[in-house]
Amino acid sequence: MSTAKRFSVLRDPVHGDVYLSHEELSVLDTPEMQRLRGVKQLGTAYLVYPGALHTRFDHSIGVLHVTQKMVEAIHRNFELQPRDTLGIGAREARILRIAALVHDVTHIPFGHHIEDQAGLFRRHDSGARFRRVLGPESELGALLERLGVRREVLSTLLAAKNREVERGGVVPSEPRERASMTVPPYWSQILSDTICSDILDYLQRDAYFTGLQLGVDPRVASYFKIDRASGNLYLDLAKRELLREDILSEAIRLLEARYYFSERVYYHHAKVASGALVARAVELAVANELLREEDLYDRTDASLFELLEQRAAPAEPELARRIQSLCERFRNRRLPKRACVFPRYENRAVQDDLVARYFAPEARAARSAVEERIADLVHFGTGKRVEVMLHCPAARMQLKEAETHVRWPGESAIRPLSAFSERVPRLADLERAYRDLWKFYVFADSSDPDLLRKVQAVALGEFPGAKNVYRIEDAI
């Protein structure tokens, strides 16, 4: 008698064979998930690293795979130490795998540029977006309802979002989202923590497709356990009351790898400049009521530009010209050039003031006024027209503090790894390094060094007390 096939295999370039159940394949086949094939994982990074064309769809499958590896390790560790830990049964594993698969379904095109860096909209993981896309009226939500996991999956993703709020990692800040049911802490921690299935996949995937050499040892996931008393996921750093230095070093090496990628890829100046073009086109359309946040929910990277140009066409001629010009410059990689760079490490005293004045939608009027004033003074002094763009990211950007729980030798309770930063100086160094990635840019749409110098000279008068470190001669 033949047995029905329970899994299908998919070949992934990063992880090799990934096994998907037929219900997971049906989740992937919904329009909401298929849209993610058109949303690049690294946004505009392909303009710097040509191979970085991987998508949120690929990443979602990878996160499911790593989640399964973590579930297996957690259950194996439970069998070895059942008294103080918890295991994960088949029903829980089913929910966690599906939650991993859909965790990025709310991403909009170029979301990190538009949401995190420009602050135009709420983040992709806002409760309202999850409730919309996983609601019973959507095809994906209706499927999850039929599978009997919709409330559990939604509550897990909302719990992950609430943990971001509590850590202060959501920009702009949002209230906690009330889930329809309470889920164990480790459900969300497996998917969203300083070390979790999400980061373990995207670090390996981003390294593969950018061509950067990065050693991420996924073996670190095999040391996770669930604390029976609190329900928290944790790394066990203790063995016979001695510190497992190999596990600690591997955890820190992973955090260092994420910093390395932040420095080399996520905040590369050309990626920031190209993202600023996209964000400015969206900002102009939103400010002139040509576009709403909801219009981006079902869009891909390519169809976002189509929508912008379609909505701009009947608008006032100068507005239409500006939006269409921004789209065309992006397509042809005519990126704005740096005129000034104000990094946090030289501007700690004025960073808060700059963020308060120039970050987020409510600062648009102030930004526009400064940009126009700089452009007018440059035109008066040179007779040449130049478009000026300020780029001021949130103060915290994508800072990932070491919040993963650990069991430290001699400690009676598990605590976040950051609580031991005095014993692990590299942790404090990493947090400082992350904060110093913040940079306030003045861009101009010119490659003429003399014109850029004029923009720089005028701009410096607009930001008294701020120290520019960029020398235009270095870029010639």
Side-chain angles (χ1 to χ4, degrees):
M1 182 175 178
S2 63
T3 303
K5 183 180 176 184
R6 295 183 58 233
F7 288 90
S8 292
V9 64
L10 179 151
R11 188 69 176 179
D12 179 73
V14 176
H15 301 298
D17 288 346
V18 176
Y19 291 87
L20 299 169
S21 69
H22 289 178
E23 66 182 22
E24 290 161 357
L25 287 174
S26 67
V27 169
L28 285 179
D29 284 340
T30 60
E32 292 84 359
M33 290 299 297
Q34 288 295 311
R35 179 187 69 89
L36 297 182
R37 291 183 183 271
V39 180
K40 293 182 185 66
Q41 174 75 14
L42 289 179
T44 67
Y46 70 96
L47 297 174
V48 182
Y49 298 94
L53 298 171
H54 53 303
T55 69
R56 294 281 167 188
F57 185 85
D58 316 338
H59 168 62
S60 299
I61 294 170
V63 176
L64 176 146
H65 176 78
V66 179
T67 295
Q68 179 61 34
K69 293 297 182 183
M70 290 181 67
V71 165
E72 291 170 358
I74 289 166
H75 199 74
R76 184 167 56 248
N77 290 332
F78 160 70
E79 291 178 339
L80 293 172
Q81 185 187 342
R83 190 181 68 176
D84 299 321
T85 64
L86 296 173
I88 295 180
R91 181 179 176 277
E92 283 185 295
R94 175 173 173 253
I95 292 167
L96 290 171
R97 285 171 60 98
I98 293 177
L101 202 57
V102 305
H103 81 286
D104 267 356
V105 71
T106 53
H107 265 280
I108 62 173
F110 308 107
H112 285 311
H113 298 290
I114 294 171
E115 298 163 348
D116 298 320
Q117 295 182 28
L120 297 182
F121 302 140
R122 297 165 296 175
R123 275 175 49 121
H124 66 277
D125 53 4
S126 73
R129 286 201 207 170
F130 274 129
R131 292 182 190 282
R132 171 191 171 274
V133 78
L134 298 181
E137 63 281 355
S138 74
E139 190 166 326
L140 174 58
L143 173 61
L144 297 185
E145 188 72 36
R146 290 196 299 274
L147 296 176
V149 297
R150 190 183 71 82
R151 289 176 66 241
E152 290 88 343
V153 168
L154 177 58
S155 296
T156 299
L157 297 176
L158 290 178
K161 182 259 181 183
N162 286 336
R163 294 179 60 251
E164 284 287 306
V165 171
E166 290 164 359
R167 292 200 300 265
V170 173
V171 180
S173 60
E174 297 174 4
R176 288 178 56 88
E177 288 287 342
R178 181 173 297 175
S180 59
M181 61 179 294
T182 301
V183 299
Y186 61 87
W187 282 19
S188 62
Q189 290 166 346
I190 288 173
L191 303 179
S192 176
D193 208 337
T194 313
I195 301 175
C196 60
S197 57
D198 184 29
I199 192 173
L200 287 170
D201 177 77
Y202 75 65
L203 279 181
Q204 295 176 80
R205 194 167 300 276
D206 293 351
Y208 182 93
F209 286 102
T210 57
L212 294 177
Q213 299 302 309
L214 173 68
V216 175
D217 189 349
R219 184 168 174 259
V220 69
S222 65
Y223 296 104
F224 275 111
K225 298 178 180 179
I226 299 169
D227 179 49
R228 181 180 289 273
S230 65
N232 282 309
L233 184 71
Y234 73 97
L235 275 174
D236 194 349
L237 302 183
K239 186 173 184 179
R240 300 188 183 92
E241 293 310 310
L242 294 175
L243 177 65
R244 286 293 306 267
E245 293 171 343
D246 56 338
I247 304 173
L248 176 61
S249 291
E250 197 57 50
I252 294 173
R253 195 158 73 92
L254 193 147
L255 299 180
E256 289 172 337
R258 189 184 187 279
Y259 172 80
Y260 169 77
F261 260 80
S262 297
E263 184 179 62
R264 294 285 301 276
V265 180
Y266 307 145
Y267 300 116
H268 188 285
H269 68 87
K271 183 175 183 290
V272 173
S274 55
L277 284 178
V278 180
R280 178 54 53 90
V282 171
E283 181 181 49
L284 285 172
V286 170
N288 289 277
E289 300 183 346
L290 303 178
L291 197 68
R292 301 171 305 159
E293 178 184 332
E294 294 78 13
D295 295 328
L296 276 64
Y297 291 169
D298 299 322
R299 291 284 161 173
T300 62
D301 292 354
S303 69
L304 170 59
F305 290 106
E306 295 171 3
L307 179 65
L308 283 167
E309 292 178 317
Q310 175 190 349
R311 296 286 176 87
E316 182 267 328
E318 178 57 21
L319 175 62
R321 183 200 65 77
R322 288 189 66 190
I323 293 176
Q324 289 165 353
S325 173
L326 288 163
C327 294
E328 180 183 354
R329 283 160 56 192
F330 179 87
R331 288 196 185 99
N332 295 321
R333 204 188 182 278
R334 296 205 311 272
L335 307 183
K337 303 299 182 182
R338 290 169 290 179
C340 296
V341 181
F342 303 97
R344 179 184 181 274
Y345 57 81
E346 292 286 359
N347 290 279
R348 291 185 178 91
V350 297
Q351 182 195 21
D352 289 344
D353 181 58
L354 291 172
V355 171
R357 290 167 61 190
Y358 301 117
F359 175 74
E362 56 270 20
R364 180 179 180 274
R367 284 200 309 271
S368 297
V370 173
E371 290 165 350
E372 290 175 12
R373 194 156 53 241
I374 295 172
D376 286 345
L377 289 171
V378 170
H379 178 245
F380 179 79
T382 66
K384 296 180 180 180
R385 291 286 181 187
V386 63
E387 183 173 2
V388 175
M389 299 172 62
L390 305 185
H391 174 80
C392 181
R396 292 179 63 85
M397 301 199 301
Q398 287 295 91
L399 177 66
K400 293 279 187 181
E401 295 172 340
E403 292 301 315
T404 293
H405 286 76
V406 298
R407 184 167 80 90
W408 195 274
E411 295 281 336
S412 58
I414 65 168
R415 291 197 288 158
L417 180 56
S418 58
F420 302 97
S421 58
E422 289 186 3
R423 307 187 204 185
V424 190
R426 286 157 68 192
L427 286 176
D429 292 342
L430 266 176
E431 183 173 336
R432 282 192 295 270
Y434 265 118
R435 294 188 186 280
D436 281 345
L437 284 173
W438 184 93
K439 294 181 180 70
F440 176 40
Y441 289 95
V442 178
F443 291 113
D445 67 337
S446 174
S447 56
D448 179 347
D450 291 332
L451 194 56
L452 288 173
R453 288 190 189 95
K454 185 62 176 177
V455 172
Q456 182 180 92
V458 173
L460 291 177
E462 292 287 339
F463 311 111
K467 183 176 180 180
N468 167 59
V469 300
Y470 186 63
R471 295 177 59 197
I472 292 172
E473 305 84 60
D474 297 340
I476 299 174

